[in-house]
Amino acid sequence: EIVMTQSPATLSVSPGERATLSCRASQSVRTNLAWYQQKPGQAPRLLIYGAFTRATGVPARFSGSGSETEFTLTISSLQSEDFAVYYCQQYNNWPPLTFGGGTKVEIK
Amino acid sequence: EVQLVESGGGLVQPGGSLRLSCGASGLTVSSNYMTWVRQAPGKGLEWVSVIYSGGSSYYADSVKGRFTISRENSKNTIFLQMNSLRAEDTAVYYCARVAYYPSSGSFALDSWGQGTLVAVSS
């Protein structure tokens, strides 16, 4: 099973600043990686698939990069609605699908 | 618009059973890969099971042999039969559609229900 590790666990950022979230896979997943956003009491929302393709309706301030084992989600200028928990998930050679432990982006 | 609505959660004693349902509108469950994902209180996301459009099903090791995923095409609904429940199965259970993007060969969970809470406790 491929293990996904996200860092940091918590990221404190001021509104308008850039946030950079990392996700590492225990073995290569090529670009078979997705990112999700989850707000309290809500279901997750798909942001990125294929490591860098934004899902429908996702603002351009969200961008994904990386391949193989190292991935990054960047939020270029944090808005109030972006404070949430973010999960990466691999789908290379699945099932199983595996998720990272999440990064909480909080207001500094 | 795709809508997924889970039901069937509740409080159950260890060793008991529950059957979760996920009714779909805006998509046909038999034409899609449909999956269950759970989230223990205050914890991250954990994949549970998937049923392919062709009918094959797969499970996380943590639930294999205890949980069964199925679907009823006439009701456009998928189910998760959960037997021999344990305290560690306590979680919000989400159903989701696994979308396929042929241009990139990508899969992603693009539509989610609101979740149903399963609590296993004596």
Side-chain angles (χ1 to χ4, degrees):
Chain A
E1 177 177 310
I2 298 174
V3 177
M4 308 301 293
T5 303
Q6 291 186 243
S7 61
T10 303
L11 186 61
S12 298
V13 186
S14 299
E17 290 188 341
R18 174 187 296 258
T20 302
L21 290 66
S22 296
C23 175
R24 175 174 292 180
S26 60
Q27 63 189 78
S28 174
V29 298
R30 300 183 290 176
T31 55
N32 294 318
L33 186 106
W35 289 94
Y36 300 85
Q37 175 194 66
Q38 187 179 33
K39 297 179 181 179
Q42 296 185 17
R45 170 198 178 197
L46 176 65
L47 295 177
I48 302 280
Y49 62 88
F52 52 81
T53 303
R54 280 188 300 277
T56 302
V58 174
R61 64 181 181 272
F62 291 92
S63 63
S65 63
S67 63
E68 308 295 343
T69 62
E70 300 285 342
F71 300 88
T72 300
L73 175 69
T74 301
I75 312 171
S76 59
S77 177
L78 271 160
Q79 306 298 301
S80 57
E81 61 267 30
D82 301 335
F83 292 96
V85 180
Y86 293 84
Y87 295 94
C88 62
Q89 172 236 312
Q90 68 80 25
Y91 50 87
N92 193 68
N93 193 29
W94 72 285
L97 296 172
T98 51
F99 293 89
T103 290
K104 180 180 180 180
V105 178
E106 64 176 24
I107 300 174
K108 187 174 182 179
Chain B
E1 179 191 5
V2 173
Q3 193 168 18
L4 300 171
V5 179
E6 301 96 334
S7 60
L11 176 63
V12 62
Q13 292 188 338
S17 298
L18 273 179
R19 187 195 197 204
L20 306 183
S21 300
C22 172
S25 58
L27 67 82
T28 302
V29 298
S30 61
S31 300
N32 284 274
Y33 290 6
M34 300 296 296
T35 195
W36 289 95
V37 174
R38 68 184 180 183
Q39 186 170 36
K43 301 298 184 181
L45 302 170
E46 179 188 17
W47 175 76
V48 173
S49 180
V50 64
I51 185 165
Y52 289 171
S53 51
S56 299
S57 57
Y58 298 89
Y59 302 90
D61 287 345
S62 58
V63 307
K64 200 173 295 182
R66 300 188 298 124
F67 291 11
T68 303
I69 191 171
S70 63
R71 68 188 182 211
E72 186 165 343
N73 296 342
S74 64
K75 295 185 177 179
N76 209 30
T77 297
I78 67 166
F79 304 98
L80 188 68
Q81 177 67 44
M82 305 186 296
N83 298 331
S84 303
L85 282 161
R86 307 166 179 167
E88 55 264 37
D89 297 318
T90 294
V92 173
Y93 285 72
Y94 296 99
C95 71
R97 188 259 297 267
V98 184
Y100 176 63
Y101 303 91
S103 60
S104 59
S106 299
F107 294 90
L109 281 58
D110 73 333
S111 301
W112 296 68
Q114 84 288 349
T116 187
L117 176 62
V118 172
V120 184
S121 175
S122 55

